[in-house]
Amino acid sequence: MTNNIKVLRAIKNISQEDLAKKIQVSRQTINAMEKGKYVPSTVLALKLAMFFETPVESIFTLESDD
Amino acid sequence: MTNNIKVLRAIKNISQEDLAKKIQVSRQTINAMEKGKYVPSTVLALKLAMFFETPVESIFTLESDD
DNA sequence: TTCAAATGTAAAGTTTATTTTACATATTGA
DNA sequence: TCAATATGTAAAATAAACTTTACATTTGAA
C-alpha cells in the first residue's frame, strides 16, 4: 500500500509534528507512515481523511502485493 | 470506531468464511471485526471497500473516543 | 553563515492486530 | 429430527503498529 500524505501535507503546509498532534499520534508514526514503513490502522486512516478533507481512497492506494 | 460489515455481508449474502477467503484473512478476523473487538488495518479496510464497492467511510465510522 | 525548525532514522519497549486451533452454539434445509 | 453450515468465542502464539527517547542530517530564514 502507498500513500500521498507528504503531498497532502505540503498542500496544507503543515509539519509532521503538527499533523501528529492534530491526529494524536507520535511524529515518528507520521514519518514512518510517509516512508511506507508500515500500514496504519483504519482509525488513523479515517482521521487523516477527515483532516485532509478527502476520501481514504484518495490518500491510500492498494498495491498488487496487498 | 464502528462498522457495518455485517449488514453489507447480508446484502451480498456472503458468509464470514467466504468473505474471509475473498479478502485473505481468517474467519475469526472477520468475526472479531464485526463484533468491534479490534480496529483493522487500512489494507483490510480498503479491501473490504473494494469488495463491497463502497467507500471506506461508508463502512467504518469514527466515534468520539477515537 | 548560523541558528532553529523540520525531517530521517534507529533501538527498545508496549500494545494491539491477526492467525491457528479448537470447541460450542445457532440456524437452516432435507 | 438430522446433518450440514454458519456463527460466537477463547486461548496461545506471532506479527505488526505505535510510543518513547535520542541523535544526526537537512532546510530555510535571518
Side-chain angles (χ1 to χ4, degrees):
Chain A
M1 198 187 60
T2 61
N3 70 75
N4 44 28
I5 296 166
K6 190 167 187 172
V7 171
L8 292 168
R9 207 163 50 69
I11 293 170
K12 283 231 174 189
N13 193 32
I14 186 177
S15 70
Q16 291 182 346
E17 184 158 19
D18 285 346
L19 176 57
K21 279 175 188 159
K22 283 279 185 185
I23 63 180
Q24 304 177 82
V25 290
S26 70
R27 180 180 64 83
Q28 284 74 358
T29 293
I30 300 293
N31 188 283
M33 218 167 40
E34 283 189 9
K35 290 286 175 178
K37 290 197 179 163
Y38 64 71
V39 174
S41 74
T42 299
V43 165
L44 200 33
L46 288 172
K47 283 183 174 182
L48 288 166
M50 280 195 65
F51 179 79
F52 289 121
E53 298 174 293
T54 193
V56 169
E57 282 87 346
S58 82
I59 304 179
F60 298 94
T61 308
L62 282 179
E63 286 180 309
S64 44
D65 59 323
D66 288 324
Chain B
M1 196 188 59
T2 62
N3 70 74
N4 44 26
I5 296 166
K6 191 167 187 171
V7 172
L8 292 168
R9 208 164 48 70
I11 292 170
K12 284 230 172 188
N13 193 33
I14 185 176
S15 69
Q16 291 182 347
E17 183 157 20
D18 285 346
L19 176 57
K21 279 174 188 159
K22 283 280 185 186
I23 65 179
Q24 304 176 80
V25 290
S26 70
R27 180 179 65 84
Q28 285 74 359
T29 294
I30 301 293
N31 188 283
M33 219 168 39
E34 282 189 10
K35 291 285 175 179
K37 290 197 179 162
Y38 62 72
V39 174
S41 73
T42 299
V43 164
L44 201 32
L46 288 173
K47 283 182 174 182
L48 288 166
M50 280 193 66
F51 180 79
F52 289 120
E53 299 173 291
T54 193
V56 169
E57 283 87 348
S58 81
I59 305 179
F60 298 95
T61 308
L62 282 179
E63 285 180 310
S64 44
D65 60 323
D66 288 324

